[in-house]
Amino acid sequence: MSDDRRIQVAVCGPGDATQAEETAAERTGQLLAKRGCVLICGGLGGVMAAACRGAKTGGGTTIGILPGSDHTAANPWVDHAICTGFGQARNAVVAATAEAVIAVGGGFGTLSEIALALRLRRPVIVLGGWSATLDTSEGREMIALLGGNMEHVTSPDEAVEAALRAIQPK
Amino acid sequence: MSDDRRIQVAVCGPGDATQAEETAAERTGQLLAKRGCVLICGGLGGVMAAACRGAKTGGGTTIGILPGSDHTAANPWVDHAICTGFGQARNAVVAATAEAVIAVGGGFGTLSEIALALRLRRPVIVLGGWSATLDTSEGREMIALLGGNMEHVTSPDEAVEAALRAIQPK
Amino acid sequence: MSDDRRIQVAVCGPGDATQAEETAAERTGQLLAKRGCVLICGGLGGVMAAACRGAKTGGGTTIGILPGSDHTAANPWVDHAICTGFGQARNAVVAATAEAVIAVGGGFGTLSEIALALRLRRPVIVLGGWSATLDTSEGREMIALLGGNMEHVTSPDEAVEAALRAIQPK
Amino acid sequence: MSDDRRIQVAVCGPGDATQAEETAAERTGQLLAKRGCVLICGGLGGVMAAACRGAKTGGGTTIGILPGSDHTAANPWVDHAICTGFGQARNAVVAATAEAVIAVGGGFGTLSEIALALRLRRPVIVLGGWSATLDTSEGREMIALLGGNMEHVTSPDEAVEAALRAIQPK
């Protein structure tokens, strides 16, 4: 890795997001940039665009891993558009490329990114969305049984701290 | 599609499975074969091998969608080995190739297959495993909100009936 | 692999094919079926549909590895439709799934399948199409230098014999 | 796309390269950086490492699209490591992510990247390697027939000029 290499953290969430989810994603992206991280995301709208917008406001670098082969599908805050052409399977690339994943909001694509990241032993921080489902006693027990590294948080600040703390020991 | 084309149903679950999970998977595979379905799976051991073994006992056809490029990695009950070379992203191919997914047992790979199938609007039948996590009031609410077609069952017989019923309306 | 497991041979070629290419592909598919091979292809029209049609006439089994996620995109002679959702990258799955590749006709997708198959050390038989380009002294020298197993033939009968001969030593 | 978005050009070639190939790749990477382009490559050694080294010397940014899921497999001059986990199918991501592809040296992986790029209508510049094979009258005729945008050059300076000229009209 080059000297210009920085920690890569993904912000995952639906393209069709609520205002609250977009606000949380934007703040998360901005904080990641300020902490020197490169933002990884799926490159499209909603949570992905909000996170990129935040990262650019924070002076950071953004990478959008697109489902298709057309660079222009990237949102206006993507610096580097990676065209996979793999449709939903690009979620596996997002999960693998990130050193930690912050999941903001619901959506089945987001759940697949959570699962694929845990499968690859990447730490996952959940802010809202799937928290209601996965942060039950049954969910916690199952994740623990499988050795997953998952943390539930309630703010973007906590999410970024948790992500960086989880990456550190590596 | 040719006249020899039959309904394709996936049985998903971990390669490292419990005896109870393997027993359930084998019975599910056998029942699918008897109902004239082609068994789709990830092609390796544990739940995947048990489901294939059951399907062959039931006189059926089995397709294993492998993570690697080596045909010989397929379990001994796979008729047609599809070599993707895509690692965990082959889970997206399993989900897309199935007209319905029956998830037997835990594992993060299985959770990703559930999520990817729901994302593609394939019906998902959960038998044990992730049921404890997803069949809570929080889980049911989230899945419903996102328009997912998911059913929880307690036996292989119910699983196969539910899968075929869910495919029918198409 | 199960007792019902048979040798898998791919027939590759463009979806937009000439009459001569389709005739060659159909005859190749039929001969492969008669020799007990499972036909692997990209599942769409042109050379792919012709090869499947031939294989069904010959009493064989056909597998179509589709670029998208919709089973109904498969041509009418596909028995098992594998939905990758990977676009052109599904060519890598066709190449890896085949134990030998027969390339009929031109097209850049076909050239990528030739290259990916050679990369994976699968034997490649070229019938027309890219032969004019690759069967020059420069082309033969380059392929030999890289250790590729490529043979140029002039008829479907020769193609099938060459493919089966190349697989045998494994 | 953000204001920080720059043109993305891939340099493709084997991991096991000759000294002459590495020298050409390094010079090409350096020139691309000086022209303000982001270097895209497969992230490993040989031609890929040489191109990245050149780009960093030229003050540029480098993106390595890896076959596996391990960031540390990237060569020491990669700024952003994209972990696909897709093995050889990552070549399709390299081809799609690039706005133009410069192929330096031989290898079947490189040939697949040339073919996949042409399939996606990306311009391809060939410097050595496959030139001897594709720059024959038969090869030129076939590429032209299929509508491919391919140019053969004899120096890194010509390669970079040709790539930028080919992207411009878009």
Side-chain angles (χ1 to χ4, degrees), chain C residues 7-15 17 20-33 37-55 61-65 75 78 90-91 94-95 97-106 109-110 113-114 117 123-127 156 159-160 163:
Chain C
I7 289 176
Q8 301 178 164
V9 177
V11 174
C12 297
E21 286 166 350
E22 293 197 13
T23 301
E26 183 161 1
R27 172 80 179 144
T28 304
Q30 188 177 11
L31 289 168
L32 285 170
C37 300
V38 173
L39 178 79
I40 305 296
C41 74
L44 301 179
V47 158
M48 299 169 267
C52 287
R53 197 167 54 233
T61 298
T62 59
I63 295 181
I65 298 178
N75 72 58
V78 166
R90 73 88 143 74
N91 295 356
V94 171
T97 297
E99 289 161 85
V101 168
I102 299 174
V104 179
T110 309
E113 287 167 317
I114 291 173
V124 174
I125 316 300
V126 186
L127 173 57
V160 171

Side-chain angles (χ1 to χ4, degrees), chain A residues 9-91:
Chain A
V9 177
V11 174
C12 297
D16 185 12
T18 65
Q19 184 54 55
E21 285 166 349
E22 292 197 13
T23 301
E26 184 161 0
R27 172 80 179 146
T28 303
Q30 189 178 10
L31 289 168
L32 285 170
K34 289 194 167 163
R35 295 296 295 265
C37 300
V38 173
L39 179 79
I40 306 296
C41 74
L44 301 178
V47 158
M48 299 168 268
C52 287
R53 196 167 55 234
K56 294 312 291 178
T57 307
T61 298
T62 59
I63 296 181
I65 299 178
L66 297 167
S69 298
D70 177 9
H71 297 85
T72 65
N75 72 58
W77 301 276
V78 166
D79 293 329
H80 308 299
I82 308 299
C83 298
T84 65
F86 288 157
Q88 278 306 300
R90 73 87 143 75
N91 295 355

Side-chain angles (χ1 to χ4, degrees), chain D residues 66-153:
Chain D
L66 297 166
S69 298
D70 178 8
H71 297 84
T72 65
N75 72 59
W77 301 276
V78 166
D79 293 330
H80 307 299
I82 308 299
C83 298
T84 64
F86 289 155
Q88 279 307 301
R90 74 89 144 72
N91 296 355
V93 182
V94 171
T97 297
E99 288 162 85
V101 168
I102 299 174
V104 178
F108 291 127
T110 309
L111 181 59
S112 77
E113 287 167 316
I114 291 173
L116 290 162
L118 291 171
R119 180 73 174 74
L120 289 167
R121 302 294 161 208
R122 308 294 196 251
V124 173
I125 317 299
V126 186
L127 173 58
W130 287 98
S131 258
T133 303
L134 299 174
D135 197 20
T136 57
S137 59
E138 296 85 356
R140 283 184 172 275
E141 199 176 302
M142 185 72 164
I143 307 288
L145 178 74
L146 296 168
N149 183 352
M150 172 179 283
E151 191 170 340
H152 295 271
V153 298

